[in-house]
Amino acid sequence: MSAGQAQCIVPQEVLTKVLKAAMMTGADFAEVFVEDTSTETITMEDGRIENVNSGRDRGAGVRVVKGETSSYCFTDSLEERDLIEAARTAAGAMSGARGEYIIDLTRSEVPVISPVAKYPWETTKAAKAELLHRADRTARAYDPLIRQVTAALLEIVRNTTVANSEGVLAADSVTRSRFTVSALAAKNGIMQTGSATIGKTRGLEILDIRTPEDLGKDAARQAIVNVHALPAPSGPMTVVMTNGWGGVLFHEACGHSLEADSILRGSSVFAGKIGQRVARECVTAVDDPTIPNEWGSFGVDDEGNPGKRTVLIENGILTSYMYDRKNAIKGKHEFTGNGRRQSYRYIAIPRMTNTFIAPHNSKAEDIIADTSDGLYAKGLRGGQVNPATGDFVFTVSEAYLIKNGKLGDAVRGATLIGNGLTTLGEIDAVAGDLDFGPGNCGKGGQSVPAACGQPALRIRRITVGGTQRRSAERRG
Amino acid sequence: MVDLKSLLAYAASLGVGETEFYLEESSSWSCRVYQGEVENLQASQGRGLGVRVIVDKALGIAYTSDVSEGTAREAVRRAAENAKISAPDELRSFYAPEGGYPSVETWSQDIQDTPAETKIRMALVMEAMAKQKDPRIRKVLGTGIATNSRSVTVVNSKGVNVSFKSGGAQISCQVLAADNEVMQTGFGNQFSRSFSGLDPEKVVDEAVRNALNLLGGKPVESQDASVIFAPEVSAIIWQMLAATLTGESVQKKRSMFAGKLGHKVDSELVSLIDDPFAVEGPGASPFDAEGVPRKRLALIEDGVLKAFMYDSYSAAKDGVKSTGHAHRRVQSAVSTAPCNLYLKPGTASLEEVVASTKNGFLVMNVSGIGTGGLNQVSGDLSVGAAGRWITGGRFVGPVREVTIAGNLKDMLLGIDAVASDLKWMSMGTPSFRVAKMAISGK
């Protein structure tokens, strides 16, 4: 199971029949996406194992394309008759007829991008529960102000098979594990939270990278920092961001606007700007699902196309967008392997995978030392963007003031708000310490695992939204 | 499909103490049109079965999307296995029926009977209409229509066996307005219990108005000002707030309202009610995810915190009865949540509220609120906002790229107007105004 090609979930002959049924009304293209996903979650609250949930999502979706129209139908069953019924329903939305369509499926070589050492079924649930207990105990022991600790382990094995009328047949199997600890600290009626997560396309060996104790302690530490923190300042500031999950800035501020659907609708600020300078020399940005074991990695995308490294911005110059099949054909571009979906219940759309700002030649400590007055954003939660305007906002989970090149007081409750294009142009220093964090990215009602990454970097000027007005502070 | 009665018997044969099944069956149809063509059509029948068991007072959970006999039995076995590592608790027990269920009628036959062609035509007409509304509307980015029906069945080994079918129709339209290089999107949508209740022109007007009213927005100077939250934004805030009005969040020390029952937590203008019988709302239903009958519950009345919501387990912990607020999806564990929330509208129209605002900000969009912008534990709020600036009771221009910040507790007590423009979306809410909040911009 651990090496070599993933199995086809449904036999090739059945897939061929389904595609023939889908092409019956004279479609240009048909595709069947089959999925069999097992999900295991264990959650702990208050030192007790609260919920242990095992799930199985098994089904298939059939897409039929004719001209500009596509039609989609899914079924929660892998029985041949149900698959063919779904194909007929999808085909039935088109008018037309044709004789038998020849389907000649050729199995693609799908590389194993993310080898797994400890599959979910190789560890007992009792042993997994103990891992949560270990994180919980460490977090509680960290400080008497810690009032509440929750921890959760998520393990997903997602098997997919895609076949289409152009002969593509590809199977992939991806195992993801994520371990999260959240802590709540309270003092004088002020309650603050902290959390720490590791998530990779791996098995339980993720906890060899960061132990449950390490994660528990980090979550508690953040909660304690925030409970003692001062209110965040507001107004335009220089912001230095730490490496790792902070890449969600680029993901939100620019990444979504580089997805081909918003480009081709003309509703993106990056439309028509290929070859133009959009950032300073120090900024190179990449989307790459082929990074071994990263959270957003896979062998083939959910349309059966191989995952590829796509350089989006090279030394400040815009070089590419991210495409699914439909938008690649429309935009006359090669497939980039960004066609993704939450499950067989959804149609694939262009999505990011592991998206990051590439390492450059600065050092994190030098960037801070070189900043006279600013905010150091050490932890971030999530964010949101309007792809048409590029306006974004995201929330800082751990932050410190920078005064004369040195870290000062911790501050809480800050948001960063700005515009994608503008902020991208404001990045003036990038370090070499690239790291990633796992996220779940929502778009069009679908959530997919996506990693955000970056080295430490500096944004010359960005609006910080806090409650403490800086001008008032200066006057006072 | 598996027979749930015989599946109960199967669970009993495994030595499971109590068993509960939550079955969802849905039928959905949707269509998106773009540039005069049907872009995407979807029609599907979905199903899913959630299983919960109690073995030796410990809870185990499993689910499956494939509800054939073999897979459903496998889910029961997995749930029983999972119970073995859960923490046992004497208070774990499923609901035993006590009397009947209220009647909630939300089904409209035209949801099922309206032909696809009629629905597609409505979307195409909306798109064409949107283009004509104003020369600054450069594009209609997407126009959608969807109808769906969903039936939920809860069966348990204590004698619950109930089903409820509901349905609805939705239309939406997103436009792109442009003035030279400046672009702005605008969105309009409507949820209706019947197809005949849809009002396409109103949705188009809303989308166009939202785009044009925000077009060319600029940051304002950082300052304190009155903030009016439009219904779309108001709904997000009240729903996040309601999530903390549960016995569960108090027990888990996550609620900023712990110990506040009977206290004034809001301006007296605020009454927040969960009403399962308000069929205009999408959550109207006769029973909850555990098969407990729903009832109307005032959470906040005239600014005073009146009640917390409970499911069976959190109720048992506090020695009270479930209020019928168990919530779940097939894939998730049971939690506590409101079913069909609304904020009681006031008497003044939004226009009157605006006219009485000296220096303020009508917030039409917020961003980042669900991704950490509102800390439900501390109440700290800091979100990106776009909308229209108000000076001397009049709109003076669009605003974007600013944040509004404050603490929810202060904000709730500072509400000085609730308008009459109740709109049902995910919940029912009118616009409301907070006397003073911190706005940071330039």
Side-chain angles (χ1 to χ4, degrees), chain A residues 39-40 42 45-46 48-59 68-78 89 93 125-126 129 147-148 150 184 189 191-193 234-236 264-269 273 326 330 344-347 381-384 386 388-389 391-393 395 412-415 417-419 463-467 469, chain B residues 32 34 37-47 59-67 71 74 78 81-82 85-89 92 139 141-142 176 183-185 222-224 251-256 313 317 331-333 366-369 371-373 375 377-378 380 382-385 400-403 405-406 409 438-442:
Chain A
T39 307
E40 299 277 341
I42 307 182
E45 302 202 29
D46 252 341
R48 294 161 49 84
I49 299 291
E50 284 261 310
N51 287 305
V52 188
N53 195 352
S54 303
R56 186 95 180 257
D57 285 286
R58 191 158 67 160
E68 289 292 304
T69 303
S70 45
S71 154
Y72 195 72
C73 180
F74 71 80
T75 169
D76 297 303
S77 157
L78 296 184
T89 304
K125 286 183 181 169
R147 285 259 296 274
Q148 175 74 27
T150 63
L184 186 151
M191 292 194 277
Q192 289 292 326
T193 55
S234 79
L264 287 165
R265 297 212 160 182
S267 61
S268 163
V269 287
K273 292 205 164 73
K326 175 184 159 184
K330 216 170 164 181
Y344 63 88
R345 296 187 180 94
Y346 300 87
I347 204 154
R381 290 202 177 88
Q384 204 181 331
N386 177 342
T389 56
D391 289 351
F392 68 82
V393 62
T395 311
R412 66 175 139 86
T415 51
I417 177 161
N419 180 271
T463 300
V464 176
T467 47
R469 223 175 313 129
Chain B
R32 275 174 70 88
Y34 183 56
E37 304 249 16
V38 173
E39 185 183 40
N40 189 242
L41 276 170
Q42 296 202 33
S44 294
Q45 316 276 327
R47 281 200 296 229
L59 181 72
I61 324 174
Y63 68 86
T64 174
S65 64
D66 179 344
V67 293
T71 326
E74 183 194 307
R78 283 179 182 268
E81 248 171 63
N82 289 345
I85 66 154
S86 289
D89 191 334
R92 286 278 182 208
K139 258 186 179 169
L141 294 174
L176 181 75
M183 296 197 288
Q184 178 64 50
T185 53
S222 295
Q223 59 189 289
D224 289 343
Q251 289 158 6
K252 289 176 178 167
K253 303 171 194 129
R254 281 198 297 244
S255 177
M256 64 185 120
Y313 182 52
K317 282 186 184 174
Q331 289 89 347
S332 68
V366 285
S367 53
I369 193 165
T371 50
N375 183 326
V377 173
S378 65
D380 289 339
S382 181
V383 294
R400 65 182 253 262
E401 247 191 278
V402 298
T403 64
K409 283 184 207 168
I439 293 162
S440 62
K442 283 192 282 198

Side-chain angles (χ1 to χ4, degrees), chain B residues 231 280 342-345 419-424 427-431:
Chain B
E280 316 89 290
Y342 78 91
L343 179 68
K344 200 171 150 193
S420 59
D421 56 339
L422 176 73
K423 184 182 176 189
W424 277 98
M427 69 171 279
T429 169
S431 310

Side-chain angles (χ1 to χ4, degrees), chain B residues 187-202:
Chain B
F187 185 71
N189 72 328
Q190 186 200 355
F191 168 80
S192 169
R193 285 292 178 189
S194 63
F195 183 79
S196 58
L198 292 172
D199 188 342
E201 180 142 26
K202 197 172 164 191

